[in-house]
Amino acid sequence: MTSEFVNRLKVCRAERNWTQADLAEQLGVSRQTVQALEKGRYDPSLPLAFRIARLFGRPIEAIFVQ
Amino acid sequence: MNTATKAAAANKKKMDDLTVGLCALVVVSSGLTVATPFWPAQLGNAPQLGVVLLAAAVAVFSAIHSLHWWRALDEAAKEAHKWAWWWGGNLGLVVGGAGVVAATLMGLDVNLLPAFVQRSDAALVATGVLGVFAAQAVGYGLAWCGWWMARR
């Protein structure tokens, strides 16, 4: 169930002092989805990965690391 | 408000409008007490036109509402439903179907028919089909919960 990627989503969110609910609202997804993403138990689609990268102003590879 | 939030708000408004429309139709339909025209004689007495209109409207409303509901889900939620539909629904179908077949082969006479339904072959077959649907629904629900539990 664990993803083959490591992601820095939780770190990026913490840097902005956002809650999971804040991030979920910004991304247009549910809080449960953010939780699954942060725990690496769900891999986002490419469009969602791009939305995440754009939101944090970083390239995708800076957030999702193989 | 970002694009995703705007889309979700627009979707919610469409669902709200549909609900208001359906409520208005309930009021209008309740006044249409005339018999439904062109009703096939072999189906028995024609029901009230309002009832037929309302039933058709509920079917259309359910379809459109389901579409908007599905579009409003995020990708993980859709994935959970698709996974549950395939694995939970199919396993439920297999288990429920096996249960019905086993009950038939063993000659179990379990009467699950409600009191107001007359016992007949058709009623028993319908009960079996509904039993399998129920097993599918249970499988679906369990699989859906399992998908999310595994990702907590």
Side-chain angles (χ1 to χ4, degrees):
Chain A
M1 202 59 63
T2 315
S3 166
E4 60 183 285
F5 298 98
V6 176
N7 73 66
R8 294 173 39 81
L9 206 52
K10 196 171 182 176
V11 176
C12 294
R13 177 172 67 77
E15 284 170 0
R16 284 162 173 74
N17 275 333
W18 286 347
T19 63
Q20 286 184 337
D22 294 334
L23 178 57
E25 196 190 335
Q26 298 270 345
L27 292 172
V29 300
S30 67
R31 193 191 61 76
Q32 287 78 8
T33 298
V34 169
Q35 188 181 32
L37 285 166
E38 282 189 357
K39 293 213 168 185
R41 290 176 182 163
Y42 176 72
D43 287 333
S45 65
L46 203 50
L48 179 55
F50 270 110
R51 284 215 303 275
I52 293 169
R54 201 179 309 129
L55 182 65
F56 289 118
R58 294 179 189 185
I60 285 183
E61 62 269 27
I63 299 173
F64 297 95
V65 185
Q66 195 165 20
Chain B
M1 193 183 277
N2 63 30
T3 313
T5 315
K6 273 183 195 166
N11 216 28
K12 185 180 179 307
K13 189 180 178 314
K14 278 182 197 165
M15 286 199 277
D16 290 347
D17 290 347
L18 275 171
T19 307
V20 171
L22 188 68
C23 290
L25 195 66
V26 169
V27 175
V28 172
S29 298
S30 62
L32 290 172
T33 55
V34 292
T36 305
F38 312 114
W39 186 260
Q42 61 268 33
L43 294 180
N45 291 336
Q48 290 180 359
L49 183 58
V51 173
V52 173
L53 275 180
L54 194 58
V58 167
V60 173
F61 169 84
S62 302
I64 297 174
H65 202 280
S66 299
L67 180 70
H68 288 304
W69 167 80
W70 180 254
R71 284 181 177 166
L73 291 179
D74 69 44
E75 59 178 60
K78 283 180 181 168
E79 189 61 31
H81 281 294
K82 284 188 279 186
W83 196 88
W85 169 76
W86 177 254
W87 291 108
N90 280 338
L91 283 175
L93 177 72
V94 169
V95 172
V100 170
V101 170
T104 307
L105 291 177
M106 288 190 291
L108 289 180
D109 190 18
V110 182
N111 190 4
L112 297 174
L113 291 173
F116 61 86
V117 177
Q118 200 173 0
R119 192 182 171 98
S120 65
D121 288 347
L124 290 173
V125 169
T127 306
V129 171
L130 285 177
V132 174
F133 278 157
Q136 273 190 299
V138 170
Y140 188 102
L142 289 175
W144 184 84
C145 289
W147 195 92
W148 279 113
M149 293 291 282
R151 284 160 185 79
R152 281 173 63 84

